[in-house]
Structures are given as C-alpha cells and as structure tokens.
Amino acid sequence: MPLIAAAARNGLIFALNARGRHPQAEALAREALAVHRVPDRFSLVLRLGLARSLNGQARHEEALAEAERADELRRSLPGEQGRSETGAVELAVATALLGLGRGSEARLRAGAAHEACLAAFGPDHRRTFEAWALLDRIDSA
C-alpha cells in the first residue's frame, strides 16, 4: 500500500505541475517525501516533482538544490531503477540554471538530457520533446 500511495501522489504532483499549480504540487511533494523516507525510485520521482514545482515558482536556487539531491539519489539506486527517469534530473537542473541566468551551463545540461532521452526513449517521447523545447527556449533567449 505505501508504494501505491507514493505512486498516486507522484501522479497528482505531476498533474498539478502540468496545470501550473506549482504551490500545491510543492506542498504535496513535501508531504509525500516526509512520509516516504525510503531512498528508492519513488523518492527520486517525488524529488523531481518538487524540483519542477520550485522551478515553476521561479525559486530556482531551491530547485537546483533539490535536483542535485535527486541526482545523488539516482546515482545511489541499484541497477536499472533510475532508468525510467533518464534525462529528468538534467532537465530540472537545466531549467533551474536557466532561471538563474546561467544559460551556457543550462544549454549543456539540456543538450545532455535531450541526447539521453533520444537514446533511451526515441524522438516521440514526452521527455525528449520537453528537452528539445528547453533547448529551443535557451537558444531563443
């Protein structure tokens, strides 16, 4: 049951972020992380949801710190547990860096995310498109 609850919360956090309801997504992500303290894939996606919500609120320093915690967690996961999140950490970091005015660093991270997503998921995947759109936004700035 705890894993089902974590998965459901993650889905809701994702949906709230997608609808631009970032403060609500942040609150739910923080609540879920307080309950789900196991360093596993669910903690990873919850941290990424939190980073996305912070980026959405232009709280880029906090988002960058959270994305870096997510990256640490991803590296500690055994085997292929972090594979489904390929490119997600890099996207969160790149978005935060762009928000902090660090465009060249953001471009490198977004490019790495795009390449990783293309290799892992192909050109039609949602995250591949998200990485491409971020690259376009960086290049247009």
Side-chain angles (χ1 to χ4, degrees), residues 23-74:
Q24 290 171 292
E26 176 191 1
L28 188 57
R30 289 189 187 282
E31 177 185 306
L33 283 165
V35 173
H36 189 84
R37 296 182 180 262
V38 180
D40 61 5
R41 181 177 174 273
F42 283 112
S43 291
L44 174 60
V45 296
L46 292 170
R47 290 207 174 280
L48 289 168
L50 177 56
R52 183 181 291 265
S53 73
L54 294 167
N55 271 324
Q57 295 175 72
R59 292 166 51 197
H60 303 296
E61 286 284 348
E62 292 173 79
L64 183 58
E66 200 56 54
E68 288 170 346
R69 282 191 280 281
D71 193 27
E72 246 179 68
L73 177 57
R74 179 185 60 181

mmCIF file of all heavy atoms in Angstrom, residues 23-74:
data_model
loop_
_atom_site.group_PDB
_atom_site.id
_atom_site.type_symbol
_atom_site.label_atom_id
_atom_site.label_comp_id
_atom_site.label_asym_id
_atom_site.label_seq_id
_atom_site.Cartn_x
_atom_site.Cartn_y
_atom_site.Cartn_z
ATOM 1 N N PRO A 23 2.452 25.744 -6.373
ATOM 2 C CA PRO A 23 2.453 25.734 -4.900
ATOM 3 C C PRO A 23 1.764 24.483 -4.324
ATOM 4 O O PRO A 23 2.235 23.911 -3.341
ATOM 5 C CB PRO A 23 1.695 27.011 -4.529
ATOM 6 C CG PRO A 23 1.913 27.922 -5.692
ATOM 7 C CD PRO A 23 1.891 27.004 -6.899
ATOM 8 N N GLN A 24 0.682 24.062 -4.955
ATOM 9 C CA GLN A 24 0.000 22.849 -4.493
ATOM 10 C C GLN A 24 0.862 21.616 -4.728
ATOM 11 O O GLN A 24 0.928 20.726 -3.886
ATOM 12 C CB GLN A 24 -1.343 22.689 -5.209
ATOM 13 C CG GLN A 24 -2.368 23.713 -4.785
ATOM 14 C CD GLN A 24 -3.590 23.631 -5.673
ATOM 15 O OE1 GLN A 24 -3.513 23.954 -6.849
ATOM 16 N NE2 GLN A 24 -4.695 23.182 -5.099
ATOM 17 N N ALA A 25 1.538 21.573 -5.875
ATOM 18 C CA ALA A 25 2.430 20.450 -6.166
ATOM 19 C C ALA A 25 3.569 20.412 -5.162
ATOM 20 O O ALA A 25 3.949 19.333 -4.687
ATOM 21 C CB ALA A 25 2.973 20.562 -7.596
ATOM 22 N N GLU A 26 4.101 21.581 -4.829
ATOM 23 C CA GLU A 26 5.185 21.634 -3.842
ATOM 24 C C GLU A 26 4.724 21.092 -2.497
ATOM 25 O O GLU A 26 5.408 20.264 -1.871
ATOM 26 C CB GLU A 26 5.684 23.066 -3.668
ATOM 27 C CG GLU A 26 6.745 23.174 -2.581
ATOM 28 C CD GLU A 26 7.096 24.598 -2.180
ATOM 29 O OE1 GLU A 26 6.505 25.561 -2.718
ATOM 30 O OE2 GLU A 26 7.982 24.728 -1.310
ATOM 31 N N ALA A 27 3.573 21.554 -2.034
ATOM 32 C CA ALA A 27 3.063 21.112 -0.729
ATOM 33 C C ALA A 27 2.870 19.597 -0.705
ATOM 34 O O ALA A 27 3.264 18.925 0.263
ATOM 35 C CB ALA A 27 1.757 21.830 -0.404
ATOM 36 N N LEU A 28 2.285 19.060 -1.755
ATOM 37 C CA LEU A 28 2.046 17.624 -1.817
ATOM 38 C C LEU A 28 3.357 16.844 -1.903
ATOM 39 O O LEU A 28 3.515 15.803 -1.254
ATOM 40 C CB LEU A 28 1.139 17.289 -3.003
ATOM 41 C CG LEU A 28 0.652 15.852 -3.091
ATOM 42 C CD1 LEU A 28 -0.100 15.438 -1.831
ATOM 43 C CD2 LEU A 28 -0.243 15.683 -4.306
ATOM 44 N N ALA A 29 4.319 17.347 -2.667
ATOM 45 C CA ALA A 29 5.618 16.671 -2.782
ATOM 46 C C ALA A 29 6.337 16.656 -1.437
ATOM 47 O O ALA A 29 6.901 15.631 -1.034
ATOM 48 C CB ALA A 29 6.478 17.346 -3.848
ATOM 49 N N ARG A 30 6.312 17.775 -0.745
ATOM 50 C CA ARG A 30 6.971 17.828 0.566
ATOM 51 C C ARG A 30 6.289 16.879 1.557
ATOM 52 O O ARG A 30 6.952 16.174 2.322
ATOM 53 C CB ARG A 30 6.990 19.253 1.100
ATOM 54 C CG ARG A 30 7.939 20.147 0.327
ATOM 55 C CD ARG A 30 8.119 21.502 1.016
ATOM 56 N NE ARG A 30 8.876 22.416 0.213
ATOM 57 C CZ ARG A 30 10.191 22.400 0.064
ATOM 58 N NH1 ARG A 30 10.912 21.466 0.662
ATOM 59 N NH2 ARG A 30 10.804 23.298 -0.688
ATOM 60 N N GLU A 31 4.974 16.855 1.517
ATOM 61 C CA GLU A 31 4.222 15.949 2.393
ATOM 62 C C GLU A 31 4.551 14.492 2.063
ATOM 63 O O GLU A 31 4.795 13.677 2.957
ATOM 64 C CB GLU A 31 2.722 16.203 2.213
ATOM 65 C CG GLU A 31 1.822 15.287 3.004
ATOM 66 C CD GLU A 31 0.370 15.532 2.659
ATOM 67 O OE1 GLU A 31 -0.077 16.698 2.742
ATOM 68 O OE2 GLU A 31 -0.323 14.549 2.301
ATOM 69 N N ALA A 32 4.582 14.166 0.799
ATOM 70 C CA ALA A 32 4.867 12.790 0.380
ATOM 71 C C ALA A 32 6.289 12.379 0.756
ATOM 72 O O ALA A 32 6.520 11.246 1.198
ATOM 73 C CB ALA A 32 4.660 12.649 -1.127
ATOM 74 N N LEU A 33 7.245 13.283 0.592
ATOM 75 C CA LEU A 33 8.629 12.979 0.963
ATOM 76 C C LEU A 33 8.783 12.793 2.472
ATOM 77 O O LEU A 33 9.609 11.995 2.916
ATOM 78 C CB LEU A 33 9.573 14.072 0.456
ATOM 79 C CG LEU A 33 9.883 14.007 -1.033
ATOM 80 C CD1 LEU A 33 10.498 15.311 -1.517
ATOM 81 C CD2 LEU A 33 10.799 12.824 -1.324
ATOM 82 N N ALA A 34 7.986 13.520 3.250
ATOM 83 C CA ALA A 34 8.044 13.366 4.704
ATOM 84 C C ALA A 34 7.542 11.985 5.131
ATOM 85 O O ALA A 34 8.033 11.418 6.106
ATOM 86 C CB ALA A 34 7.215 14.461 5.382
ATOM 87 N N VAL A 35 6.599 11.444 4.372
ATOM 88 C CA VAL A 35 6.037 10.126 4.682
ATOM 89 C C VAL A 35 6.876 9.007 4.085
ATOM 90 O O VAL A 35 7.126 7.983 4.716
ATOM 91 C CB VAL A 35 4.576 10.032 4.157
ATOM 92 C CG1 VAL A 35 4.034 8.626 4.301
ATOM 93 C CG2 VAL A 35 3.695 11.031 4.876
ATOM 94 N N HIS A 36 7.342 9.197 2.857
ATOM 95 C CA HIS A 36 8.081 8.160 2.128
ATOM 96 C C HIS A 36 9.577 8.448 2.259
ATOM 97 O O HIS A 36 10.153 9.160 1.451
ATOM 98 C CB HIS A 36 7.658 8.138 0.657
ATOM 99 C CG HIS A 36 8.220 6.981 -0.086
ATOM 100 N ND1 HIS A 36 7.635 5.745 -0.072
ATOM 101 C CD2 HIS A 36 9.332 6.854 -0.823
ATOM 102 C CE1 HIS A 36 8.358 4.912 -0.790
ATOM 103 N NE2 HIS A 36 9.404 5.570 -1.254
ATOM 104 N N ARG A 37 10.196 7.867 3.251
ATOM 105 C CA ARG A 37 11.602 8.165 3.548
ATOM 106 C C ARG A 37 12.571 7.125 3.007
ATOM 107 O O ARG A 37 13.758 7.193 3.261
ATOM 108 C CB ARG A 37 11.788 8.310 5.050
ATOM 109 C CG ARG A 37 11.018 9.488 5.610
ATOM 110 C CD ARG A 37 11.268 9.623 7.099
ATOM 111 N NE ARG A 37 10.533 10.734 7.639
ATOM 112 C CZ ARG A 37 11.059 11.923 7.853
ATOM 113 N NH1 ARG A 37 12.313 12.165 7.556
ATOM 114 N NH2 ARG A 37 10.329 12.890 8.360
ATOM 115 N N VAL A 38 12.087 6.173 2.252
ATOM 116 C CA VAL A 38 12.939 5.135 1.683
ATOM 117 C C VAL A 38 13.664 5.712 0.467
ATOM 118 O O VAL A 38 13.024 6.295 -0.412
ATOM 119 C CB VAL A 38 12.084 3.914 1.260
ATOM 120 C CG1 VAL A 38 12.948 2.818 0.676
ATOM 121 C CG2 VAL A 38 11.269 3.409 2.442
ATOM 122 N N PRO A 39 14.993 5.568 0.388
ATOM 123 C CA PRO A 39 15.720 6.091 -0.778
ATOM 124 C C PRO A 39 15.556 5.167 -1.986
ATOM 125 O O PRO A 39 16.413 4.353 -2.291
ATOM 126 C CB PRO A 39 17.172 6.149 -0.289
ATOM 127 C CG PRO A 39 17.253 5.077 0.745
ATOM 128 C CD PRO A 39 15.890 5.001 1.381
ATOM 129 N N ASP A 40 14.449 5.309 -2.684
ATOM 130 C CA ASP A 40 14.132 4.438 -3.812
ATOM 131 C C ASP A 40 13.659 5.267 -4.995
ATOM 132 O O ASP A 40 13.727 6.496 -4.968
ATOM 133 C CB ASP A 40 13.090 3.385 -3.409
ATOM 134 C CG ASP A 40 11.771 3.987 -2.950
ATOM 135 O OD1 ASP A 40 11.591 5.237 -3.026
ATOM 136 O OD2 ASP A 40 10.893 3.227 -2.508
ATOM 137 N N ARG A 41 13.160 4.592 -6.016
ATOM 138 C CA ARG A 41 12.703 5.275 -7.225
ATOM 139 C C ARG A 41 11.574 6.254 -6.930
ATOM 140 O O ARG A 41 11.493 7.325 -7.527
ATOM 141 C CB ARG A 41 12.246 4.247 -8.261
ATOM 142 C CG ARG A 41 11.788 4.913 -9.546
ATOM 143 C CD ARG A 41 11.399 3.907 -10.609
ATOM 144 N NE ARG A 41 10.847 4.628 -11.728
ATOM 145 C CZ ARG A 41 9.567 4.982 -11.838
ATOM 146 N NH1 ARG A 41 8.704 4.661 -10.920
ATOM 147 N NH2 ARG A 41 9.150 5.653 -12.893
ATOM 148 N N PHE A 42 10.698 5.911 -5.982
ATOM 149 C CA PHE A 42 9.601 6.821 -5.655
ATOM 150 C C PHE A 42 10.127 8.103 -5.012
ATOM 151 O O PHE A 42 9.637 9.188 -5.311
ATOM 152 C CB PHE A 42 8.565 6.146 -4.758
ATOM 153 C CG PHE A 42 7.676 5.218 -5.515
ATOM 154 C CD1 PHE A 42 7.744 3.857 -5.316
ATOM 155 C CD2 PHE A 42 6.769 5.695 -6.452
ATOM 156 C CE1 PHE A 42 6.938 2.989 -6.032
ATOM 157 C CE2 PHE A 42 5.962 4.844 -7.179
ATOM 158 C CZ PHE A 42 6.041 3.483 -6.962
ATOM 159 N N SER A 43 11.121 7.982 -4.158
ATOM 160 C CA SER A 43 11.729 9.190 -3.588
ATOM 161 C C SER A 43 12.330 10.046 -4.697
ATOM 162 O O SER A 43 12.235 11.274 -4.666
ATOM 163 C CB SER A 43 12.822 8.818 -2.582
ATOM 164 O OG SER A 43 12.265 8.229 -1.450
ATOM 165 N N LEU A 44 12.928 9.388 -5.670
ATOM 166 C CA LEU A 44 13.517 10.105 -6.800
ATOM 167 C C LEU A 44 12.459 10.892 -7.557
ATOM 168 O O LEU A 44 12.623 12.094 -7.801
ATOM 169 C CB LEU A 44 14.234 9.131 -7.735
ATOM 170 C CG LEU A 44 14.792 9.706 -9.042
ATOM 171 C CD1 LEU A 44 15.806 10.801 -8.770
ATOM 172 C CD2 LEU A 44 15.397 8.593 -9.881
ATOM 173 N N VAL A 45 11.360 10.260 -7.922
ATOM 174 C CA VAL A 45 10.342 10.978 -8.696
ATOM 175 C C VAL A 45 9.651 12.051 -7.862
ATOM 176 O O VAL A 45 9.276 13.099 -8.391
ATOM 177 C CB VAL A 45 9.313 10.018 -9.362
ATOM 178 C CG1 VAL A 45 9.990 9.124 -10.377
ATOM 179 C CG2 VAL A 45 8.540 9.215 -8.351
ATOM 180 N N LEU A 46 9.512 11.818 -6.568
ATOM 181 C CA LEU A 46 8.932 12.849 -5.706
ATOM 182 C C LEU A 46 9.854 14.059 -5.630
ATOM 183 O O LEU A 46 9.398 15.203 -5.687
ATOM 184 C CB LEU A 46 8.651 12.287 -4.305
ATOM 185 C CG LEU A 46 7.537 11.239 -4.223
ATOM 186 C CD1 LEU A 46 7.521 10.599 -2.837
ATOM 187 C CD2 LEU A 46 6.181 11.844 -4.565
ATOM 188 N N ARG A 47 11.169 13.832 -5.525
ATOM 189 C CA ARG A 47 12.124 14.943 -5.506
ATOM 190 C C ARG A 47 12.108 15.705 -6.833
ATOM 191 O O ARG A 47 12.210 16.935 -6.854
ATOM 192 C CB ARG A 47 13.532 14.447 -5.208
ATOM 193 C CG ARG A 47 13.696 13.973 -3.796
ATOM 194 C CD ARG A 47 15.104 14.077 -3.285
ATOM 195 N NE ARG A 47 15.108 13.735 -1.875
ATOM 196 C CZ ARG A 47 14.765 14.550 -0.896
ATOM 197 N NH1 ARG A 47 14.396 15.773 -1.168
ATOM 198 N NH2 ARG A 47 14.794 14.162 0.354
ATOM 199 N N LEU A 48 11.989 14.967 -7.924
ATOM 200 C CA LEU A 48 11.920 15.629 -9.227
ATOM 201 C C LEU A 48 10.639 16.456 -9.349
ATOM 202 O O LEU A 48 10.658 17.553 -9.918
ATOM 203 C CB LEU A 48 12.026 14.601 -10.350
ATOM 204 C CG LEU A 48 13.415 13.986 -10.513
ATOM 205 C CD1 LEU A 48 13.363 12.774 -11.436
ATOM 206 C CD2 LEU A 48 14.408 15.014 -11.011
ATOM 207 N N GLY A 49 9.541 15.948 -8.837
ATOM 208 C CA GLY A 49 8.297 16.718 -8.825
ATOM 209 C C GLY A 49 8.422 17.982 -7.993
ATOM 210 O O GLY A 49 7.922 19.045 -8.365
ATOM 211 N N LEU A 50 9.125 17.861 -6.876
ATOM 212 C CA LEU A 50 9.361 19.033 -6.034
ATOM 213 C C LEU A 50 10.237 20.044 -6.769
ATOM 214 O O LEU A 50 9.942 21.246 -6.769
ATOM 215 C CB LEU A 50 10.011 18.602 -4.714
ATOM 216 C CG LEU A 50 10.383 19.723 -3.745
ATOM 217 C CD1 LEU A 50 9.188 20.609 -3.404
ATOM 218 C CD2 LEU A 50 10.997 19.128 -2.483
ATOM 219 N N ALA A 51 11.298 19.575 -7.414
ATOM 220 C CA ALA A 51 12.164 20.489 -8.172
ATOM 221 C C ALA A 51 11.373 21.187 -9.275
ATOM 222 O O ALA A 51 11.527 22.397 -9.487
ATOM 223 C CB ALA A 51 13.346 19.720 -8.769
ATOM 224 N N ARG A 52 10.519 20.449 -9.958
ATOM 225 C CA ARG A 52 9.702 21.037 -11.026
ATOM 226 C C ARG A 52 8.769 22.110 -10.454
ATOM 227 O O ARG A 52 8.598 23.186 -11.045
ATOM 228 C CB ARG A 52 8.898 19.949 -11.733
ATOM 229 C CG ARG A 52 8.071 20.458 -12.897
ATOM 230 C CD ARG A 52 7.289 19.328 -13.537
ATOM 231 N NE ARG A 52 8.147 18.386 -14.215
ATOM 232 C CZ ARG A 52 8.430 18.419 -15.509
ATOM 233 N NH1 ARG A 52 7.913 19.362 -16.267
ATOM 234 N NH2 ARG A 52 9.208 17.516 -16.046
ATOM 235 N N SER A 53 8.184 21.841 -9.299
ATOM 236 C CA SER A 53 7.271 22.822 -8.704
ATOM 237 C C SER A 53 8.024 24.080 -8.282
ATOM 238 O O SER A 53 7.519 25.193 -8.441
ATOM 239 C CB SER A 53 6.524 22.211 -7.510
ATOM 240 O OG SER A 53 7.368 22.059 -6.389
ATOM 241 N N LEU A 54 9.228 23.915 -7.767
ATOM 242 C CA LEU A 54 10.029 25.078 -7.370
ATOM 243 C C LEU A 54 10.462 25.885 -8.591
ATOM 244 O O LEU A 54 10.417 27.124 -8.565
ATOM 245 C CB LEU A 54 11.245 24.613 -6.555
ATOM 246 C CG LEU A 54 10.903 23.988 -5.196
ATOM 247 C CD1 LEU A 54 12.117 23.277 -4.617
ATOM 248 C CD2 LEU A 54 10.347 25.020 -4.241
ATOM 249 N N ASN A 55 10.865 25.203 -9.661
ATOM 250 C CA ASN A 55 11.189 25.911 -10.902
ATOM 251 C C ASN A 55 9.969 26.673 -11.406
ATOM 252 O O ASN A 55 10.089 27.803 -11.888
ATOM 253 C CB ASN A 55 11.691 24.935 -11.969
ATOM 254 C CG ASN A 55 13.186 24.737 -11.917
ATOM 255 O OD1 ASN A 55 13.938 25.657 -11.631
ATOM 256 N ND2 ASN A 55 13.621 23.519 -12.205
ATOM 257 N N GLY A 56 8.804 26.057 -11.302
ATOM 258 C CA GLY A 56 7.571 26.692 -11.757
ATOM 259 C C GLY A 56 7.208 27.944 -10.968
ATOM 260 O O GLY A 56 6.457 28.789 -11.448
ATOM 261 N N GLN A 57 7.753 28.047 -9.760
ATOM 262 C CA GLN A 57 7.517 29.227 -8.919
ATOM 263 C C GLN A 57 8.690 30.208 -8.981
ATOM 264 O O GLN A 57 8.742 31.153 -8.195
ATOM 265 C CB GLN A 57 7.309 28.788 -7.463
ATOM 266 C CG GLN A 57 6.071 27.946 -7.255
ATOM 267 C CD GLN A 57 5.991 27.444 -5.834
ATOM 268 O OE1 GLN A 57 5.716 28.230 -4.921
ATOM 269 N NE2 GLN A 57 6.231 26.151 -5.641
ATOM 270 N N ALA A 58 9.618 29.976 -9.913
ATOM 271 C CA ALA A 58 10.815 30.805 -10.082
ATOM 272 C C ALA A 58 11.683 30.801 -8.826
ATOM 273 O O ALA A 58 12.398 31.766 -8.558
ATOM 274 C CB ALA A 58 10.449 32.233 -10.501
ATOM 275 N N ARG A 59 11.671 29.709 -8.094
ATOM 276 C CA ARG A 59 12.526 29.526 -6.922
ATOM 277 C C ARG A 59 13.674 28.606 -7.355
ATOM 278 O O ARG A 59 13.789 27.474 -6.930
ATOM 279 C CB ARG A 59 11.706 28.962 -5.772
ATOM 280 C CG ARG A 59 10.697 29.991 -5.269
ATOM 281 C CD ARG A 59 9.633 29.438 -4.370
ATOM 282 N NE ARG A 59 10.122 28.638 -3.253
ATOM 283 C CZ ARG A 59 9.333 27.817 -2.561
ATOM 284 N NH1 ARG A 59 8.038 27.710 -2.859
ATOM 285 N NH2 ARG A 59 9.829 27.110 -1.575
ATOM 286 N N HIS A 60 14.498 29.154 -8.244
ATOM 287 C CA HIS A 60 15.482 28.346 -8.955
ATOM 288 C C HIS A 60 16.634 27.849 -8.092
ATOM 289 O O HIS A 60 17.140 26.755 -8.334
ATOM 290 C CB HIS A 60 15.987 29.110 -10.177
ATOM 291 C CG HIS A 60 14.886 29.499 -11.101
ATOM 292 N ND1 HIS A 60 14.099 28.571 -11.772
ATOM 293 C CD2 HIS A 60 14.411 30.712 -11.447
ATOM 294 C CE1 HIS A 60 13.202 29.208 -12.501
ATOM 295 N NE2 HIS A 60 13.362 30.503 -12.328
ATOM 296 N N GLU A 61 17.053 28.619 -7.111
ATOM 297 C CA GLU A 61 18.117 28.143 -6.205
ATOM 298 C C GLU A 61 17.648 26.887 -5.479
ATOM 299 O O GLU A 61 18.384 25.900 -5.392
ATOM 300 C CB GLU A 61 18.499 29.221 -5.184
ATOM 301 C CG GLU A 61 19.310 30.359 -5.745
ATOM 302 C CD GLU A 61 20.773 30.006 -5.985
ATOM 303 O OE1 GLU A 61 21.251 28.949 -5.517
ATOM 304 O OE2 GLU A 61 21.443 30.813 -6.659
ATOM 305 N N GLU A 62 16.428 26.938 -4.940
ATOM 306 C CA GLU A 62 15.868 25.781 -4.235
ATOM 307 C C GLU A 62 15.674 24.607 -5.192
ATOM 308 O O GLU A 62 15.922 23.456 -4.833
ATOM 309 C CB GLU A 62 14.531 26.143 -3.597
ATOM 310 C CG GLU A 62 14.623 27.132 -2.463
ATOM 311 C CD GLU A 62 13.250 27.564 -2.007
ATOM 312 O OE1 GLU A 62 12.595 26.797 -1.270
ATOM 313 O OE2 GLU A 62 12.816 28.672 -2.421
ATOM 314 N N ALA A 63 15.228 24.906 -6.408
ATOM 315 C CA ALA A 63 15.013 23.850 -7.405
ATOM 316 C C ALA A 63 16.326 23.175 -7.760
ATOM 317 O O ALA A 63 16.386 21.947 -7.880
ATOM 318 C CB ALA A 63 14.356 24.427 -8.656
ATOM 319 N N LEU A 64 17.372 23.964 -7.910
ATOM 320 C CA LEU A 64 18.682 23.411 -8.230
ATOM 321 C C LEU A 64 19.172 22.503 -7.107
ATOM 322 O O LEU A 64 19.661 21.392 -7.357
ATOM 323 C CB LEU A 64 19.686 24.536 -8.501
ATOM 324 C CG LEU A 64 21.087 24.108 -8.911
ATOM 325 C CD1 LEU A 64 21.060 23.250 -10.174
ATOM 326 C CD2 LEU A 64 21.958 25.349 -9.118
ATOM 327 N N ALA A 65 19.020 22.940 -5.877
ATOM 328 C CA ALA A 65 19.432 22.116 -4.730
ATOM 329 C C ALA A 65 18.644 20.806 -4.690
ATOM 330 O O ALA A 65 19.210 19.735 -4.439
ATOM 331 C CB ALA A 65 19.256 22.897 -3.433
ATOM 332 N N GLU A 66 17.358 20.889 -4.954
ATOM 333 C CA GLU A 66 16.520 19.680 -4.937
ATOM 334 C C GLU A 66 16.883 18.747 -6.087
ATOM 335 O O GLU A 66 16.929 17.528 -5.925
ATOM 336 C CB GLU A 66 15.041 20.059 -4.997
ATOM 337 C CG GLU A 66 14.118 18.989 -4.524
ATOM 338 C CD GLU A 66 14.413 18.507 -3.114
ATOM 339 O OE1 GLU A 66 14.476 19.311 -2.182
ATOM 340 O OE2 GLU A 66 14.565 17.265 -2.953
ATOM 341 N N ALA A 67 17.155 19.313 -7.253
ATOM 342 C CA ALA A 67 17.561 18.493 -8.402
ATOM 343 C C ALA A 67 18.899 17.810 -8.131
ATOM 344 O O ALA A 67 19.105 16.659 -8.535
ATOM 345 C CB ALA A 67 17.639 19.356 -9.662
ATOM 346 N N GLU A 68 19.786 18.501 -7.440
ATOM 347 C CA GLU A 68 21.074 17.892 -7.097
ATOM 348 C C GLU A 68 20.889 16.744 -6.096
ATOM 349 O O GLU A 68 21.556 15.719 -6.187
ATOM 350 C CB GLU A 68 22.040 18.953 -6.574
ATOM 351 C CG GLU A 68 22.523 19.865 -7.698
ATOM 352 C CD GLU A 68 23.293 21.079 -7.226
ATOM 353 O OE1 GLU A 68 23.266 21.403 -6.000
ATOM 354 O OE2 GLU A 68 23.917 21.739 -8.080
ATOM 355 N N ARG A 69 19.948 16.895 -5.157
ATOM 356 C CA ARG A 69 19.624 15.789 -4.233
ATOM 357 C C ARG A 69 19.044 14.613 -5.014
ATOM 358 O O ARG A 69 19.352 13.453 -4.735
ATOM 359 C CB ARG A 69 18.675 16.258 -3.142
ATOM 360 C CG ARG A 69 19.366 17.046 -2.040
ATOM 361 C CD ARG A 69 18.444 17.269 -0.838
ATOM 362 N NE ARG A 69 17.510 18.354 -1.007
ATOM 363 C CZ ARG A 69 17.805 19.645 -0.865
ATOM 364 N NH1 ARG A 69 19.029 20.019 -0.550
ATOM 365 N NH2 ARG A 69 16.893 20.569 -1.031
ATOM 366 N N ALA A 70 18.208 14.917 -5.991
ATOM 367 C CA ALA A 70 17.627 13.851 -6.826
ATOM 368 C C ALA A 70 18.725 13.133 -7.608
ATOM 369 O O ALA A 70 18.695 11.899 -7.745
ATOM 370 C CB ALA A 70 16.584 14.434 -7.783
ATOM 371 N N ASP A 71 19.700 13.884 -8.095
ATOM 372 C CA ASP A 71 20.806 13.284 -8.840
ATOM 373 C C ASP A 71 21.619 12.354 -7.940
ATOM 374 O O ASP A 71 21.994 11.253 -8.346
ATOM 375 C CB ASP A 71 21.689 14.378 -9.434
ATOM 376 C CG ASP A 71 22.666 13.838 -10.460
ATOM 377 O OD1 ASP A 71 22.375 12.800 -11.100
ATOM 378 O OD2 ASP A 71 23.727 14.464 -10.642
ATOM 379 N N GLU A 72 21.888 12.786 -6.724
ATOM 380 C CA GLU A 72 22.594 11.944 -5.756
ATOM 381 C C GLU A 72 21.831 10.638 -5.521
ATOM 382 O O GLU A 72 22.411 9.559 -5.507
ATOM 383 C CB GLU A 72 22.705 12.682 -4.418
ATOM 384 C CG GLU A 72 24.086 13.060 -4.006
ATOM 385 C CD GLU A 72 24.045 13.792 -2.674
ATOM 386 O OE1 GLU A 72 23.714 13.166 -1.646
ATOM 387 O OE2 GLU A 72 24.344 15.001 -2.681
ATOM 388 N N LEU A 73 20.546 10.772 -5.325
ATOM 389 C CA LEU A 73 19.702 9.601 -5.093
ATOM 390 C C LEU A 73 19.715 8.682 -6.310
ATOM 391 O O LEU A 73 19.853 7.463 -6.173
ATOM 392 C CB LEU A 73 18.277 10.031 -4.752
ATOM 393 C CG LEU A 73 17.252 8.932 -4.544
ATOM 394 C CD1 LEU A 73 17.691 7.964 -3.444
ATOM 395 C CD2 LEU A 73 15.903 9.539 -4.209
ATOM 396 N N ARG A 74 19.590 9.252 -7.494
ATOM 397 C CA ARG A 74 19.595 8.446 -8.719
ATOM 398 C C ARG A 74 20.873 7.629 -8.830
ATOM 399 O O ARG A 74 20.842 6.455 -9.180
ATOM 400 C CB ARG A 74 19.432 9.334 -9.945
ATOM 401 C CG ARG A 74 19.458 8.537 -11.257
ATOM 402 C CD ARG A 74 19.429 9.400 -12.471
ATOM 403 N NE ARG A 74 20.592 10.288 -12.474
ATOM 404 C CZ ARG A 74 20.830 11.183 -13.402
ATOM 405 N NH1 ARG A 74 19.993 11.331 -14.396
ATOM 406 N NH2 ARG A 74 21.891 11.947 -13.344
#
